[in-house]
C-alpha cells in the first residue's frame, strides 16, 4: 500500500488517531487532520504532533472541499452516518479505519486474532495474549484494549501473533481485514445511541468474520441465541463453546464441571473450580480463549497453566483494597447493564453499588431486577443517575443516594458499608459524561478509595 504523496484525510483525533498520523507521516502521505473539537480542547494531543511537518489541521468543523482526497481514515469514535461521512461515501472516496489500515500495511503477514462481543472482550483478549506469551510467541495485545494496531506494523514478522480486541465501531470501518481466528463472545443491548437497533449492532460485530474462508476458524458462543444464529453466515471452520450443553464438537462444561475440548480428540482441560477468574461469564471467556489457542496449536499444558494463574484485568472486577472489613472492587470497564449484571452476580456478600454515567439509551430493568437480590444500596452519579433511580424505585430499592462525583460516591459508600460488604464500582454506563475514558473513571475510584482512613 503506497501512500507516498497521497492526500489522506484523518477524521477524529484520539489515541489511535495520533498513532495513525505518525505512521502516515513516515510513509510520506500529505495529511489533513480533522476534528469537530476546537483547537483549545485538543492542546494535549496537538502537542504530541507538534514536531511533524506537512500536516494541515481543520479543527472545529468538517472540511467543505474533499474532492482531491484520495483516502479517508476515520477514528472509531466518529459515527459513519454523519452527513459529512455520507458525503465522502457518495463521492466514492475510500474510507477505512485504523485497524484496516494497519492490516493492509502489515506486509509480513503476522497471525491476526480478532475478538469481539458485547462483554468479556478485554478479559478474553488479555487471556489469549498471556497464553501466547507463555507459549513463547512474539505476541502483541492490541485494538480496542488500548494499544493501536498500527503501532505494530514495523515490528511484526510472519511468526508474530496480534491478539486484537475489536469494538463494533472498529469493525464498521474494515474492508479486507481477515483474522486467522475470529471469536464472538455474546450480544447484549449496547451502543444503541450509535447503531440505533440491535440488528445494526449485531451486523457490525459480525463483520469480524466476513472475509474469512475455510482455512480460518470462527469461535462462537453456542449459549447466546443471537451469536448461534450467525452460524450459516460463517465460511470459516465453526467451533462453538458452551457452559450449558455438551457439544458433539467444540469446548464445553460437562456434568462434573470439567472443561472438555472435543475436536480431533477429547481432552479434559481442567475443572471449572481450577480457573483463577470467578463467575460464569469468566468461564465463557476462558473457554473461548482456550479454543482460540488450541486451534493455533498452542501446547495444552501452557493453556491449562495460564487459565489457573491469570489475574483479573485492570478495571474489570479489580480488587482494590479491604478497609475495616469492607471490600472495594473496581469494575469501571462495565459500560453496559449486562456487564454489570455479571459483576453483581459474582459476589455472595451484600453489595453497595456505585453506578451511572453517560446515557447510551440502554434500559436498566433487567440489571436492577438482578441487582436487588444482593445489592443493598445504590450510589448513583452522572447523566443516568435519575433514570436509574426511577427504575430502582419501581424495583423496590429503598437505599438510593445521588452524588455529584466519585469522591462523594466513595465516601458515601464507605459511610453506609458494614464489615464484609462489597463496595462495587460497576457503572452499567459509558464514562464520557464525566471522564475521558473508563480507565480514568476507574483510577479516580481507586484514588478516592486509597484516600480513605
Amino acid at each position: 500500500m503506497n501512500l507516498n504523496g497521497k492526500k489522506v484525510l484523518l477524521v477524529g483525533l484520539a489515541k489511535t488517531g495520533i498513532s495513525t498520523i505518525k505512521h502516515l507521516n513516515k510513509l510520506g502521505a500529505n495529511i489533513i487532520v480533522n476534528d469537530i473539537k476546537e483547537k483549545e480542547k485538543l492542546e494535549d494531543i496537538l502537542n504530541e504532533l507538534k514536531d511533524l511537518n506537512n500536516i494541515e489541521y481543520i479543527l472545529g468543523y468538517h472540511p467543505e472541499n474533499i474532492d482531491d482526497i484520495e483516502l479517508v481514515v476515520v477514528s472509531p469514535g466518529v459515527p459513519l452516518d454523519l452527513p459529512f461521512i455520507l458525503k465522502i461515501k457518495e463521492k466514492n472516496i475510500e474510507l477505512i479505519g485504523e485497524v484496516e489500515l494497519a492490516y493492509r500495511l502489515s506486509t509480513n503477514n503476522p497471525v491476526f486474532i480478532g475478538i469481539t462481543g458485547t462483554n468479556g472482550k478485554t478479559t478474553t483478549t488479555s487471556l489469549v495474549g498471556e497464553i501466547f506469551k507463555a507459549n513463547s510467541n512474539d505476541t502483541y495485545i492490541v485494538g480496542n484494549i488500548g494499544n493501536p494496531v498500527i503501532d505494530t506494523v514495523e515490528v511484526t514478522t510472519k511468526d508474530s501473533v496480534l491478539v486484537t480486541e475489536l469494538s463494533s465501531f472498529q469493525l464498521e470501518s474494515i474492508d479486507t481485514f481477515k483474522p486467522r481466528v475470529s471469536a464472538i463472545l455474546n450480544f447484549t443491548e449496547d451502543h444503541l445511541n450509535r447503531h440505533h437497533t440491535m440488528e445494526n449492532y449485531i451486523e457490525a460485530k459480525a463483520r469480524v468474520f466476513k472475509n474469512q474462508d475455510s482455512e480460518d476458524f470462527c469461535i462462537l458462543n453456542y449459549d447466546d441465541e443471537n451469536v448461534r444464529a450467525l452460524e450459516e453466515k460463517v465460511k470459516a471452520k465453526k467451533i462453538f463453546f458452551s457452559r450449558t450443553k455438551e457439544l458433539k464438537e467444540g469446548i464445553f462444561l460437562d456434568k462434573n464441571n470439567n472443561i472438555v475440548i472435543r475436536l480431533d480428540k477429547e481432552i479434559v482441560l481442567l475443572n471449572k473450580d481450577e480457573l483463577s477468574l470467578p463467575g460464569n461469564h469468566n468461564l465463557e471467556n476462558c473457554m473461548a480463549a482456550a479454543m482460540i489457542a488450541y486451534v493455533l496449536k498452542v501446547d495444552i499444558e501452557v493453556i491449562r497453566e495460564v487459565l489457573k494463574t491469570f489475574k483479573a484485568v485492570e478495571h474489570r472486577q479489580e480488587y482494590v483494597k479491604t478497609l475495616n472489613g469492607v471490600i472495594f472492587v473496581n469494575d469501571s470497564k462495565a459500560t453496559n447493564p449486562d456487564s454489570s449484571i455479571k459483576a453483581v452476580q459474582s459476589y455472595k456478600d451484600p453489595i453497595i453499588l456505585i453506578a451511572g454515567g453517560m446515557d447510551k439509551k440502554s434500559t436498566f430493568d433487567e440489571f436492577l431486577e438482578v441487582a436487588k437480590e444482593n445489592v443493598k444500596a445504590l450510589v448513583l452519579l452522572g447523566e443516568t443517575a435519575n433514570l436509574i433511580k426511577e427504575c430502582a424505585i419501581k424495583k423496590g430499592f429503598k437505599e438510593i443516594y445521588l452524588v455529584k462525583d466519585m469522591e462523594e460516591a466513595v465516601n458515601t459508600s464507605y459511610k453506609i458499608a458494614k464489615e464484609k460488604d462489597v463496595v462495587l464500582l460497576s457503572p452499567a454506563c459509558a464514562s464520557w459524561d464525566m471522564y475521558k475514558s473508563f480507565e480514568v473513571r476507574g483510577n479516580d475510584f481507586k484514588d478516592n478509595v486509597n484516600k480513605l482512613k
Side-chain angles (χ1 to χ4, degrees):
M1 188 180 189
N2 183 13
L3 294 174
N4 187 38
K6 290 194 174 181
K7 200 160 192 178
V8 179
L9 172 66
L10 182 128
V11 185
L13 268 173
K15 188 169 184 179
T16 57
I18 293 169
S19 292
T20 303
I21 291 164
K22 289 180 178 178
H23 204 81
L24 289 170
N25 188 256
K26 283 184 185 177
L27 295 173
N30 296 322
I31 309 164
I32 300 172
V33 176
N34 174 232
D35 197 291
I36 200 67
K37 295 190 186 77
E38 302 284 348
K39 181 180 178 181
E40 293 73 28
K41 294 182 178 179
L42 297 166
E43 290 295 346
D44 290 346
I45 293 175
L46 295 175
N47 280 336
E48 289 195 49
L49 301 169
K50 64 183 179 182
D51 295 330
L52 302 183
N53 298 316
N54 301 321
I55 299 178
E56 178 186 349
Y57 292 93
I58 299 175
L59 306 175
Y61 62 95
H62 293 307
E64 294 180 10
N65 182 15
I66 56 172
D67 292 338
D68 57 347
I69 300 295
E70 296 174 81
L71 175 69
V72 177
V73 181
V74 62
S75 292
V78 178
L80 299 189
D81 57 358
L82 289 177
F84 171 64
I85 298 298
L86 295 177
K87 182 181 174 184
I88 289 169
K89 291 180 177 179
E90 284 170 11
K91 290 183 174 290
N92 291 318
I93 301 169
E94 187 173 25
L95 184 147
I96 61 174
E98 175 260 343
V99 172
E100 174 69 20
L101 179 64
Y103 179 77
R104 293 187 190 184
L105 293 173
S106 297
T107 54
N108 289 323
N109 298 318
V111 175
F112 275 88
I113 296 167
I115 298 168
T116 195
T118 307
N119 298 309
K121 295 188 299 297
T122 299
T123 297
T124 306
T125 300
S126 299
L127 255 174
V128 174
E130 289 306 309
I131 291 170
F132 278 94
K133 286 179 182 177
N135 199 52
S136 299
N137 292 90
D138 181 40
T139 306
Y140 301 86
I141 303 171
V142 295
N144 192 58
I145 202 165
N147 305 315
V149 188
I150 197 106
D151 286 345
T152 69
V153 166
E154 294 178 342
V155 295
T156 53
T157 70
K158 64 179 178 59
D159 298 317
S160 301
V161 179
L162 276 76
V163 189
T164 314
E165 179 185 331
L166 295 164
S167 69
S168 57
F169 298 173
Q170 289 169 312
L171 287 165
E172 280 185 310
S173 57
I174 65 164
D175 181 29
T176 64
F177 177 75
K178 181 178 181 287
R180 181 80 174 88
V181 183
S182 65
I184 301 182
L185 305 177
N186 47 59
F187 292 130
T188 58
E189 189 179 271
D190 198 15
H191 297 303
L192 297 190
N193 57 331
R194 165 97 168 232
H195 296 292
H196 309 301
T197 68
M198 272 298 288
E199 289 76 17
N200 291 343
Y201 176 58
I202 290 170
E203 185 179 339
K205 292 282 193 186
R207 289 171 65 83
V208 73
F209 60 70
K210 86 180 193 84
N211 295 315
Q212 288 188 295
D213 57 38
S214 61
E215 298 300 309
D216 304 313
F217 297 91
C218 181
I219 315 299
L220 300 171
N221 186 348
Y222 186 90
D223 301 333
D224 187 304
E225 290 183 10
N226 287 322
V227 175
R228 193 167 72 242
L230 296 172
E231 178 183 9
E232 298 304 316
K233 297 181 179 180
V234 178
K235 296 173 187 172
K237 296 171 187 172
K238 295 179 286 287
I239 301 176
F240 286 107
F241 64 92
S242 173
R243 64 176 176 84
T244 64
K245 181 180 175 63
E246 181 174 329
L247 302 173
K248 290 181 180 178
E249 188 175 80
I251 183 168
F252 59 91
L253 192 70
D254 72 8
K255 61 184 179 182
N256 297 315
N257 280 339
N258 289 321
I259 299 171
V260 178
I261 294 174
R262 184 182 283 166
L263 283 179
D264 48 334
K265 55 185 175 182
E266 187 166 306
I267 300 169
V268 176
L269 185 58
L270 74 174
N271 190 273
K272 172 186 173 182
D273 293 337
E274 294 180 83
L275 297 174
S276 65
L277 298 176
N280 284 330
H281 60 297
N282 278 321
L283 169 60
E284 294 176 359
N285 297 335
C286 289
M287 288 194 290
M291 187 50 72
I292 290 168
Y294 184 77
V295 298
L296 290 176
K297 311 298 183 187
V298 173
D299 184 271
I300 199 73
E301 288 300 330
V302 172
I303 299 172
R304 206 172 265 141
E305 187 59 26
V306 173
L307 294 183
K308 288 180 180 180
T309 59
F310 182 81
K311 297 290 186 282
V313 176
E314 188 180 15
H315 308 296
R316 166 51 79 209
Q317 288 181 248
E318 175 195 8
Y319 170 77
V320 181
K321 72 185 297 183
T322 299
L323 188 61
N324 291 329
V326 179
I327 299 165
F328 291 86
V329 178
N330 167 31
D331 194 43
S332 182
K333 185 76 169 64
T335 58
N336 60 69
D338 190 68
S339 188
S340 290
I341 286 173
K342 291 175 170 61
V344 298
Q345 288 177 327
S346 298
Y347 301 94
K348 294 178 182 178
D349 292 319
I351 294 171
I352 296 164
L353 181 66
I354 301 174
M358 193 191 88
D359 189 357
K360 293 197 287 183
K361 306 304 178 188
S362 298
T363 55
F364 300 99
D365 294 84
E366 184 184 1
F367 164 49
L368 292 168
E369 185 67 34
V370 172
K372 71 181 184 182
E373 293 297 317
N374 62 334
V375 172
K376 67 182 239 183
L378 290 167
V379 180
L380 306 174
L381 72 167
E383 249 177 37
T384 57
N386 282 303
L387 189 65
I388 297 173
K389 179 183 177 182
E390 288 173 17
C391 188
I393 291 170
K394 292 176 185 175
K395 296 293 181 183
F397 280 88
K398 302 297 183 189
E399 274 199 83
I400 305 172
Y401 303 85
L402 297 185
V403 296
K404 66 179 185 298
D405 56 26
M406 191 63 74
E407 181 180 11
E408 188 181 354
V410 169
N411 289 334
T412 300
S413 299
Y414 185 48
K415 190 180 295 183
I416 62 177
K418 296 180 179 178
E419 188 176 354
K420 292 189 177 179
D421 284 355
V422 177
V423 174
L424 173 66
L425 169 68
S426 191
C429 302
S431 59
W432 302 313
D433 58 332
M434 297 174 69
Y435 299 94
K436 289 171 67 175
S437 67
F438 71 82
E439 292 97 336
V440 176
R441 175 171 65 188
N443 288 332
D444 191 20
F445 172 76
K446 290 191 286 186
D447 288 345
N448 280 289
V449 168
N450 287 321
K451 287 177 188 174
L452 293 171
K453 305 292 185 189

